[in-house]
Structures are given as structure tokens and as C-alpha cells.
């Protein structure tokens, strides 16, 4: 473990809400090592050479091309970045895994889905839960692309309720094999996979069990036709049917009834990697839109010079910047937590599992925020292209269609919103996170007399950081009061949970952008970071608006009388600026920069 990891204060999952993070303690894309920069360039070069020139073939459902590109990615080592060296991988660490996923995913959603499904949920359950024999037998083939993996969890009646699957596994009389029977659907990579992680129920077990199943048509495995989808058109997606499929008992993954745990932990990693997979798509969407806006003239003027277009360019750049900032912040937290656990004697498997699980809240936050931002970016990209944006001849409509799935898989955004608040409350109940103390302090503050002193906000981000603190108080005020009122029944109040989640998401994303910029101002100077400062301020301004709206909605839904009045006054107090930023000026500064650079340049 590095001296840097030991010396910095690494917050535990969810603690960003109750503890202040120093900018020196966050990791930013500007902190990539030389090795990571080289990997980034190699992946970008692969994307530019093998994926992007063939976009029309992917859109025409060329499934064979997706498989061919996956093999090439395997030959270059990209499929084994996170796999330990002992099993044929590069063992490069969590940030590098995110980086590869980020820059390899923007050519087309079809390849991105195949890559994500294989390297994540197709390989990882074996590296993290497999026995030594299972890992030696299967992981080297998966790491090199000799074999491809798929993940069979979803069923016609089991989507968000993953543990309700009807697929069965029955032990043979001699106790040597299981027979699997059932149907799975929406299985990515099904058309060309060599093995599948299959979840089935043994007898009347409460929880499902995971199995490693080799794809052999002579063993009762049949496939439905390729699904015809709105987007990710060349991603192989099929139904898989198991009819007395025989699986050796030694192919059970982890223990009996532990499949649900495997599924949930695999999804945590899948969520943060899905956020990474949307980042370069945002950059490319913006760059394509800027390029067009600089060239397209109306009324004898490039449309990029019009204020209505500048708004879009500035907002797209700002969302991409915040998404990058938050994703790599969390990725490094996970990497550091894994290193700490390994230094304490945990195995690679235990360390990685617990390291990711620690930040499950942040993984859900990122999945929601970045998947929605990439969809918004593609939508605005179509708008900037105007009528041409609606045509298949231009790249925007495919980007929009591909982006749409990101809000559904790895757990829908609705499920993830409820999860991130639910997990936070559970952490507090287990004593892993003190929410009660800070929530009580906020309640006491609301009863007291507010200060009317004029604070000194002359230092960069002084007011913004004070606002972030106040926004955290809003979440504590809302979530604390709601938890007190509803107790264990809180999870039944889904609209309240979703509103609270939006407050939580905005806090994490806005704070991440500000911390990244503050760190880089100290390194590179304020002038060099002037546009990043503008983006950080713009993102926070929008976050305050969203939090005010969601806070009001929440308070009105469960509080009444004097309590409601007091909380609404607190909300007003906590969302008030002393010096409002000039949003038009901020947007203009950001838009002028991306116009001049003809693309995303941060």
C-alpha cells in the first residue's frame, strides 16, 4: 500500500454526507499515472481504429463484428485489466479498470455492452467467488478472449426482484450433478458466449444459487432468436432455455443460497463501471455537436454563436465534467479501500468484494447520475443538429438510442435511487455511519436563531463549499425526520425515497466537481482552471435548484403544522446564496472554450 494511501483520510462509503472531504484527498483524471495515460491512449486508438469506422455495421446488427472486436480487445489485454496476473490478467487496479471501460465504450453501445457484460458480470463472479480450481480453469480463457462470458439472472417474472426467479437446480441421486431447468431473458452475449453464470433455486431455498455453466447445445441449452432492440443493436441479446442441463456440483459458485449475494455485489461493480462507460460517450457527443455547430451557418452566422446553442454546449460540458469528477473520485476510494484490506491480510477476493461493497451507495449514485446525463447530452445533440439529428445519416440518433438502455440495466434508476438512501439508513443502523448525531444537530439548529453576520467569501469556492455543507443539512433534515416518522416502513414510501435520493445525488456530484477543480487550481493556478471553475459553479447552481424542489416535495409529503413550517424555513435558509453567480456569464465562458477547442477539452 502506498504512502499516499496511508497518509490521506479515506472516507468510508456514504461518509461524504457527514464529513468534510479535503480536495487533496480526492483523485481526479489529472492524477492519472504515466502507465494509465499510456493505457488510455492505447484504448482510444483501438476505439478509433476498430469500432468507430464500422459504426454503420454495428447499427445494421452485425453481431459477428461485435464478437470479432471482442476477440481483438482480448488479444490486446483489455479484457483482463482487472484480472489477477495469476489467472492471465494485468491486475491493474480499480482506477485503471474504470479508465479502460470509459474510453473503450464510446464507439458504439453495442460493443460497450458486450465488453461490460463480459469483463464485469461475465468474469468477475468467478474471480471474486470462485474456488481456486474454478478460477484456474475458466478465468485465463475469459481474460484473453478465448472464451466469452454471459450472466443469466433475469427471467420473465424476475426483473428488479432478482431473487424471485423460478429456474430450478435439482441434485442428482448420486450427489454429483445438478439439473438446471428454466428460462432466462435479456441475456447479453448469449449468442457467442462460452460459459454462463446461471442463477437457480435449489428446492425451496430462500435465496438463489449461482452456477458456472458451459454453453453446450447438446446439454439441454437452447437460445431464442436475437432480440430486436431500440439501441445497442449489434449487442447479442437472447433468451436462454435450460432443459435438464447437467452441471457438476463443483461448478456451484460460492455456497448454496449465496447467489443473491453474488448478484447484488456483481451489480455494485457493474453500476460504477456503467457510469464509466457513459463518460466518453458524453465527451464524444459534445465534441460532435460542437463541431457541427461551428460549421453549420444560419442567418450567415455559425449556430455555435447563438445564445440558445451556447446554453446546450455549456450544460453538456458541465455534466460531463461533473460525471468524470465523481466517477474517478469513487473509483480511487474503492481502490484505496481494497489496498487497505489487502494490507490487513484479506485475500484479493475478500479485499475486492468488501472494497466495492463499502461504496455501494456511491456506485448507485453514479449509475443514476451519469446514465441520465448521457441521455440528456444525446438529446441536446439531436437538437443542435436540428432535422439532421433525427436522421440515421448523422451519429446523434444512434447515440440517443444507445444511451437509453443505461437507465434500465444494472438495476433501473428508480431501484438505484431507492437503494442508495436505503443503504445509507442501513449503514447508520449498523453503526457504520453516524447519521443520527448530525441530523439531531440540524434539528437543533433549526430551533435556534440564524446568524445574520455577513461571511467573508473572498477565497475561491468559500461560498460554494458553505452551500455544499448546507445542502447536506437539507438531506439530514429530510431523511432524519422521515426515518424518525416512518421507521422500518420508510422503504414503503417510494416517492419520498426517490426525492431524498435526488438530493443525495446532487450533493455528491456537485461536491466532486468542486473538489476536483479546487485541487487543480492549487496545482495549475486559477487562470488555467477558469472554465473548470465556471462549470463547478454552474453545476452547483442547478443542484441547489433541484434540492430545493425535492426538499420541498419531501417535507410537504410527511410533515405538517409547525414542523412543516420550520422545515420549509430551514430549506429556504439552506438554499440561499449570498452572491448569486451570473449563470449567463458562466455558460458563455464554458461555451466559448469548447467552441474554440472544437470539442470537450477538460
Amino acid at each position: 500500500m502506498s504512502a499516499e494511501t496511508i497518509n490521506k483520510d479515506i472516507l468510508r462509503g456514504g461518509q461524504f454526507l457527514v464529513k468534510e472531504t479535503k480536495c487533496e484527498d480526492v483523485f481526479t483524471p489529472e492524477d492519472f499515472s504515466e502507465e494509465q495515460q499510456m493505457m488510455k491512449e492505447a484504448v482510444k486508438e483501438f476505439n478509433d481504429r476498430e469500432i468507430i469506422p464500422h459504426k454503420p455495421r454495428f447499427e445494421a446488427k452485425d453481431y459477428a463484428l461485435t464478437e470479432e472486436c471482442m476477440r481483438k480487445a482480448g488479444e490486446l489485454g483489455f479484457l483482463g485489466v482487472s484480472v489477477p496476473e495469476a489467472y492471465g490478467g494485468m491486475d491493474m487496479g480499480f482506477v485503471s479498470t474504470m479508465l479502460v471501460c470509459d474510453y473503450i465504450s464510446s464507439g458504439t453501445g453495442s460493443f460497450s455492452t458486450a465488453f461490460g457484460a463480459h469483463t464485469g458480470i461475465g468474469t468477475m463472479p468467478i474471480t471474486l467467488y470462485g474456488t481456486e480450481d474454478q478460477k484456474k480453469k475458466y478465468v485465463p480463457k475469459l481474460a484473453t478472449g478465448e472464451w466469452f462470458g454471459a450472466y443469466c439472472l433475469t427471467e420473465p417474472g424476475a426483473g428488479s426482484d432478482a431473487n424471485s426467479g423460478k429456474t430450478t437446480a435439482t441434485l442428482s441421486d448420486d450427489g454429483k450433478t445438478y439439473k438446471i431447468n428454466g428460462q432466462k431473458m435479456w441475456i447479453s452475449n448469449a449468442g457467442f458466449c462460452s460459459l454462463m453464470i446461471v442463477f437457480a433455486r435449489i428446492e425451496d431455498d430462500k435465496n438463489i444459487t449461482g452456477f458456472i455453466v458451459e454453453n453446450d447445445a447438446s446439454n439441454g441449452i437452447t437460445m431464442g432468436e436475437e432480440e430486436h432492440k431500440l439501441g445497442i443493436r449489434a449487442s447479442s441479446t437472447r433468451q436462454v432455455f435450460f432443459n435438464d442441463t447437467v452441471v457438476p456440483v463443483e461448478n456451484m459458485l460460492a455456497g448454496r443460497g449465496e447467489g443473491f449475494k453474488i448478484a447484488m455485489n456483481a451489480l455494485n461493480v457493474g453500476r460504477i463501471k456503467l457510469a464509466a462507460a457513459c463518460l466518453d460517450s458524453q465527451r464524444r457527443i459534445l465534441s460532435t455537436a460542437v463541431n457541427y455547430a461551428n460549421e453549420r451557418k444560419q442567418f450567415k452566422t455559425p449556430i455555435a454563436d447563438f445564445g440558445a446553442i451556447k446554453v446546450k454546449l455549456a450544460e453538456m460540458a458541465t455534466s460531463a465534467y461533473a460525471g468524470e469528477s465523481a466517477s474517478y473520485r469513487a473509483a480511487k476510494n474503492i481502490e484505496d479501500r481494497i489496498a487497505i484490506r489487502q494490507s490487513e491480510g484479506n485475500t484479493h477476493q475478500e479485499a475486492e468484494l468488501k472494497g466495492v461493497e463499502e461504496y455501494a451507495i456511491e456506485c448507485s449514485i453514479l449509475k443514476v447520475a451519469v446514465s441520465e446525463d448521457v441521455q440528456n447530452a444525446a438529446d441536446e445533440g439531436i437538437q443542435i443538429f436540428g432535422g439532421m439529428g433525427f436522421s440515421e445519416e448523422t451519429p446523434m440518433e444512434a447515440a440517443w438510442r444507445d444511451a437509453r438502455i443505461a437507465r434500465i440495466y444494472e438495476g433501473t434508476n428508480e431501484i438505484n435511487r431507492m437503494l442508495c438512501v436505503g443503504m445509507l439508513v442501513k449503514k447508520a443502523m449498523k453503526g457504520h455511519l453516524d447519521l443520527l448525531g448530525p441530523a439531531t444537530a440540524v434539528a437543533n439548529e433549526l430551533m435556534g436563531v440564524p446568524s445574520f453576520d455577513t461571511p467573508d467569501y473572498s477565497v475561491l469556492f468559500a461560498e460554494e463549499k458553505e452551500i455544499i455543507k448546507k445542502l447536506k443539512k437539507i438531506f439530514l433534515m429530510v431523511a432524519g425526520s422521515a426515518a424518525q416518522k416512518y421507521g422500518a416502513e420508510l422503504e414503503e414510501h417510494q416517492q419520498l425515497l426517490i426525492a431524498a435520493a435526488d438530493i443525495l445525488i446532487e450533493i455528491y456530484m456537485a461536491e466532486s466537481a468542486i473538489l476536483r477543480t479546487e485541487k487543480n487550481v492549487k496545482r495549475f493556478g486559477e487562470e488555467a482552471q477558469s472554465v473548470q471553475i465556471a462549470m463547478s459553479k454552474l453545476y452547483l447552481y442547478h443542484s441547489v435548484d433541484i434540492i430545493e424542489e425535492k426538499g420541498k416535495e419531501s417535507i410537504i409529503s410527511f410533515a405538517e403544522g409547525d414542523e412543516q413550517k420550520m422545515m420549509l424555513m430551514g430549506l429556504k435558509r439552506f438554499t440561499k446564496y449570498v452572491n448569486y453567480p451570473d449563470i449567463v456569464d458562466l455558460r458563455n465562458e464554458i461555451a466559448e472554450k469548447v467552441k474554440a477547442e472544437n470539442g470537450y477539452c477538460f
Side-chain angles (χ1 to χ4, degrees):
M1 186 166 51
S2 69
E4 180 210 5
T5 302
I6 295 164
N7 292 334
K8 69 182 178 186
D9 183 18
I10 303 165
L11 296 189
R12 303 200 57 168
Q15 274 191 335
F16 71 89
L17 193 61
V18 292
K19 286 194 173 184
E20 190 173 351
T21 305
K22 299 197 292 287
C23 70
E24 292 81 7
D25 291 338
V26 297
F27 182 88
T28 79
E30 293 75 21
D31 293 316
F32 289 151
S33 66
E34 196 175 330
E35 181 188 46
Q36 286 166 335
Q37 287 288 2
M38 286 167 64
M39 180 57 86
K40 172 181 157 184
E41 291 310 315
V43 173
K44 283 173 76 174
E45 198 266 332
F46 172 81
N47 200 5
D48 287 334
R49 184 184 72 243
E50 301 290 349
I51 310 293
I52 289 166
H54 305 300
K55 191 81 181 268
R57 288 176 62 189
F58 286 109
E59 292 310 306
K61 304 179 184 177
D62 191 338
Y63 303 106
L65 178 61
T66 301
E67 184 180 351
E68 182 190 323
C69 290
M70 284 289 288
R71 294 211 185 280
K72 288 178 178 175
E75 287 162 13
L76 291 167
F78 298 149
L79 302 182
V81 173
S82 65
V83 172
E85 286 180 20
Y87 310 110
M90 292 188 181
D91 200 13
M92 280 186 75
F94 203 83
V95 172
S96 295
T97 305
M98 286 280 284
L99 186 151
V100 171
C101 191
D102 177 351
Y103 285 94
I104 211 166
S105 296
S106 62
T108 167
S110 299
F111 177 79
S112 172
T113 298
F115 178 86
H118 171 78
T119 56
I121 51 183
T123 303
M124 202 175 42
I126 307 177
T127 61
L128 297 188
Y129 287 97
T131 63
E132 193 58 29
D133 285 345
Q134 287 170 347
K135 287 188 286 186
K136 281 180 178 169
K137 184 176 181 181
Y138 295 116
V139 176
K141 291 178 179 178
L142 294 167
T144 57
E146 181 186 342
W147 280 24
F148 295 117
Y151 182 82
C152 299
L153 177 64
T154 304
E155 298 184 15
S160 296
D161 184 7
N163 203 30
S164 65
K166 301 285 189 288
T167 298
T168 60
T170 309
L171 188 63
S172 61
D173 292 338
D174 63 8
K176 291 182 178 178
T177 60
Y178 281 94
K179 270 188 182 170
I180 294 182
N181 285 280
Q183 172 187 2
K184 300 290 182 177
M185 67 189 301
W186 305 120
I187 307 307
S188 296
N189 296 353
F192 61 87
C193 70
S194 314
L195 70 75
M196 296 172 250
I197 310 296
V198 180
F199 295 91
R201 193 177 310 280
I202 301 170
E203 296 173 348
D204 294 324
D205 287 0
K206 180 186 173 190
N207 291 325
I208 51 180
T209 298
F211 296 88
I212 302 168
V213 181
E214 294 184 24
N215 185 8
D216 178 0
S218 68
N219 188 20
I221 299 174
T222 54
M223 303 269 175
E225 292 298 311
E226 290 287 357
E227 300 285 352
H228 298 290
K229 308 178 294 292
L230 172 70
I232 56 170
R233 287 180 168 175
S235 156
S236 175
T237 313
R238 295 184 173 199
Q239 291 193 56
V240 184
F241 302 91
F242 300 97
N243 184 17
D244 284 346
T245 300
V246 179
V247 184
V249 290
E250 56 267 27
N251 274 30
M252 181 187 285
L253 201 51
R256 177 172 172 170
E258 292 192 18
F260 186 60
K261 184 173 74 176
I262 295 171
M264 292 304 99
N265 282 325
L267 287 171
N268 287 334
V269 184
R271 282 163 186 154
I272 188 169
K273 286 191 181 171
L274 178 59
C278 294
L279 293 175
D280 199 46
S281 294
Q282 282 191 76
R283 298 184 200 106
R284 282 185 185 268
I285 288 166
L286 173 62
S287 296
T288 305
V290 175
N291 199 271
Y292 181 81
N294 275 332
E295 290 178 2
R296 171 75 168 164
K297 288 188 177 177
Q298 290 293 279
F299 312 104
K300 298 179 182 175
T301 307
I303 64 169
D305 290 344
F306 293 127
I309 301 298
K310 286 183 182 180
V311 170
K312 298 180 190 306
L313 299 178
E315 299 292 356
M316 289 159 79
T318 298
S319 290
Y321 181 77
E324 275 180 352
S325 307
S327 296
Y328 284 104
R329 172 191 183 182
K332 184 64 167 140
N333 281 343
I334 290 171
E335 188 173 286
D336 287 342
R337 184 62 58 187
I338 291 168
I340 288 168
R341 284 194 162 271
Q342 284 181 315
S343 73
E344 292 170 352
N346 282 185
T347 64
H348 168 269
Q349 286 169 291
E350 291 167 334
E352 189 131 337
L353 271 172
K354 293 295 180 187
V356 175
E357 196 179 350
E358 177 67 55
Y359 296 96
I361 293 162
E362 287 81 352
C363 291
S364 282
I365 285 172
L366 288 164
K367 192 274 180 185
V368 173
V370 186
S371 68
E372 292 181 1
D373 285 343
V374 73
Q375 182 84 66
N376 292 338
D379 201 66
E380 291 290 41
I382 289 175
Q383 200 69 12
I384 289 167
F385 270 71
M388 286 301 292
F390 207 67
S391 167
E392 286 189 2
E393 298 299 310
T394 54
M396 284 303 172
E397 65 89 36
W400 187 89
R401 285 187 289 99
D402 282 352
R404 187 60 187 85
I405 188 62
R407 285 156 57 196
I408 298 170
Y409 58 19
E410 308 293 355
T412 66
N413 283 12
E414 291 72 25
I415 288 288
N416 273 287
R417 278 184 161 90
M418 290 185 283
L419 265 177
C420 63
V421 178
M423 288 187 289
L424 198 64
V425 171
K426 276 182 188 155
K427 270 198 167 216
M429 285 175 173
K430 285 180 182 174
H432 295 173
L433 180 69
D434 179 18
L435 283 184
L436 186 62
T440 305
V442 175
N444 292 337
E445 185 179 339
L446 290 177
M447 303 290 283
V449 179
S451 167
F452 295 103
D453 295 343
T454 305
D456 175 16
Y457 288 147
S458 55
V459 177
L460 177 68
F461 287 145
E463 180 164 12
E464 284 74 17
K465 289 170 85 171
E466 192 57 38
I467 286 171
I468 291 279
K469 283 182 191 171
K470 290 176 184 174
L471 298 181
K472 292 177 182 181
K473 289 177 182 179
I474 292 170
F475 180 86
L476 291 165
M477 174 177 76
V478 169
S481 300
Q484 217 170 0
K485 178 163 185 178
Y486 296 119
E489 290 170 10
L490 181 62
E491 61 186 32
E492 292 170 24
H493 297 267
Q494 292 192 351
Q495 292 185 49
L496 174 57
L497 284 173
I498 285 171
D502 282 333
I503 298 172
L504 190 65
I505 290 164
E506 290 303 322
I507 289 167
Y508 190 71
M509 302 300 288
E511 182 181 63
S512 298
I514 286 167
L515 290 170
R516 174 186 181 181
T517 306
E518 185 187 12
K519 183 176 186 179
N520 288 327
V521 164
K522 289 184 178 182
R523 288 194 282 201
F524 310 124
E526 205 166 312
E527 197 177 326
Q529 294 286 301
S530 66
V531 181
Q532 288 88 333
I533 292 167
M535 289 191 290
S536 302
K537 289 184 174 185
L538 179 61
Y539 197 96
L540 178 63
Y541 178 84
H542 290 316
S543 294
V544 170
D545 269 359
I546 292 165
I547 289 170
E548 188 169 17
E549 180 197 337
K550 298 296 177 180
K552 188 175 177 183
E553 180 187 318
S554 303
I555 292 162
I556 291 168
S557 76
F558 70 82
E560 47 192 30
D562 287 344
E563 185 194 16
Q564 185 190 93
K565 240 181 236 174
M566 187 177 68
M567 288 175 77
L568 288 173
M569 281 170 64
L571 179 68
K572 199 169 183 181
R573 190 198 310 176
F574 294 147
T575 52
K576 189 179 177 186
Y577 276 88
V578 174
N579 306 294
Y580 278 94
D582 186 331
I583 297 306
V584 174
D585 274 359
L586 293 180
R587 285 189 187 128
N588 284 339
E589 184 180 356
I590 300 160
E592 289 300 333
K593 178 68 172 174
V594 296
K595 269 173 55 190
E597 299 288 340
N598 212 17
Y600 186 82
C601 51
F602 308 106

